[in-house]
Amino acid sequence: MNYPLNYDSPSELREFLENHELSMKKRFGQNFLINRGAREKIVDLLGAEAGDKAWEIGPGLGSMTWHMLEKGIDLTVFEIDNGFACLLRDFYSDLPNFSIIQGDFLKTFKNEAETQGIPPLVIGNLPYSSGSPMIAMLIKNELSPRTMVFTVQKEVAQRMAAKPGSKDYSVFSLISGSKYKVELSGDIKAGSFYPRPAVVSSVVKLTKHDSFDPGDSSVYYTLIDDMFLSRRKKISNNLASGRLAARFGREKVLEALNASGISAERRGETVSVEEAQHLSRLLSKEFK
């Protein structure tokens, strides 16, 4: 079998899938990036060099995979679709810098991290339905790769990069900004994918920073969830009825809020990552 699978038109891709008795599965949110220039740009954004270790989430038919293997990257791919996983093995298993983990990334990545270590680089054209949980899990589970580059739905990318007070600012903004500088690196039109999605996609680059100091990170991530229990309610009301208050008492939580200097009258959507970290540090000390 010849490789790489650099198909640039829907007709070529359809023919290939038919010839190999493969089909797209809607439940996996599969949309293949058939724009060669976009694939190369995404790989270049990763800033990888020969010998670097990286993970690719959802390689599909492996066209972006090939760009990375060609650069000499030590690549582990995670593919949920059995048919595509078998194809990837046929194409790339003879290469010393390729390995594959079959199954749902959300269920398999922890074991791979524990046994093989955490790579400095992660890349992926992520499914629209599960892209956000994948990114959140990578950040919250202390994996902290140096650089991550993803293709996600444009609205997801905007939430990741949103600033306090904007309509897109959310819990996901506070998760993304907790450990990473988030950069929007351009949109990809629907016609660059097969099947053609009903949404616009964006490329987002996350570069790790070292300023995350929340005390207990689990307190931080619970805190930001609590702050957004109801977007229209004041922080004090949300925190008083959140998980931290249920566990440690609403009085202690509200005392920490007062000590933080964050007005109880504000809403969660106005609180910056730095302010949330400060409150988290106070709560972490309180709950030891």
Side-chain angles (χ1 to χ4, degrees), residues 6 29 49 53-54 71 91 96 136 138 149 159 161 164 167 178-179 211 235 264 281:
N6 276 330
E49 298 180 355
K53 293 183 180 297
K71 287 177 176 288
F91 269 71
L138 282 167
V149 179
R159 288 199 297 273
K167 65 181 179 62
S178 64
K179 299 177 184 176
S211 61
I235 296 173
R281 287 193 295 271

Side-chain angles (χ1 to χ4, degrees), residues 219 223 236 239-240 244-260 279-288:
V219 170
L223 168 65
S236 55
L239 293 183
L244 291 179
R247 182 175 178 184
F248 300 107
R250 65 187 301 274
E251 292 78 12
K252 288 186 177 181
V253 172
L254 294 178
E255 285 174 8
L257 176 63
N258 182 59
S260 73
L279 178 52
S280 177
R281 287 193 295 271
L282 294 174
L283 291 167
S284 299
K285 292 177 183 178
E286 186 71 31
F287 299 154
K288 281 185 178 179

Side-chain angles (χ1 to χ4, degrees), residues 44 104 116 129 139-140 170 220 254 256:
D44 288 344
D104 185 343
Q116 301 299 324
S129 59
I139 296 173
K140 293 168 70 174
S170 65
Y220 174 85
L254 294 178

Side-chain angles (χ1 to χ4, degrees), residues 260-273:
S260 73
I262 301 172
S263 171
E265 301 297 307
R266 290 170 61 183
R267 294 177 178 172
E269 65 195 44
T270 70
V271 178
S272 68
V273 171

Side-chain angles (χ1 to χ4, degrees), residues 50-177:
D52 284 343
K53 293 183 180 297
W55 285 353
E56 182 185 7
I57 304 170
L61 295 177
S63 55
M64 217 155 53
T65 305
W66 174 253
H67 290 306
M68 288 183 281
L69 293 174
E70 195 174 34
K71 287 177 176 288
I73 298 170
D74 187 355
L75 185 65
T76 297
V77 303
F78 294 78
E79 177 55 54
I80 193 171
D81 187 295
N82 179 63
F84 296 148
C86 290
L87 186 75
L88 291 167
R89 288 191 185 94
D90 288 343
F91 269 71
Y92 303 127
S93 60
D94 61 328
L95 300 178
N97 57 328
F98 172 83
S99 62
I100 183 168
I101 307 297
Q102 186 174 338
D104 185 343
F105 175 78
L106 290 171
K107 297 177 180 178
T108 59
F109 80 92
K110 289 183 183 179
N111 181 68
E112 181 66 11
E114 290 171 0
T115 58
Q116 301 299 324
I118 301 164
L121 307 170
V122 177
I123 194 170
N125 174 28
L126 301 184
Y128 296 127
S129 59
S130 56
S132 298
M134 289 180 182
I135 296 170
M137 287 283 283
L138 282 167
I139 296 173
K140 293 168 70 174
N141 278 272
E142 306 294 338
L143 295 185
S144 303
R146 181 181 74 222
T147 305
M148 299 191 286
V149 179
F150 299 116
T151 303
V152 295
Q153 187 172 338
K154 184 172 183 176
E155 289 74 13
V156 171
Q158 289 174 328
R159 288 199 297 273
M160 293 174 69
K163 302 302 181 183
S166 68
K167 65 181 179 62
D168 293 318
Y169 196 66
S170 65
V171 172
F172 198 28
S173 311
L174 284 157
I175 292 172
S176 303

Side-chain angles (χ1 to χ4, degrees), residues 17-18 20-26 30 32 81 84:
L17 292 170
E18 290 171 2
H20 292 84
E21 299 181 347
L22 296 170
S23 61
M24 312 289 286
K25 298 178 179 63
K26 189 175 182 179
Q30 294 166 331
F32 295 134
D81 187 295
F84 296 148

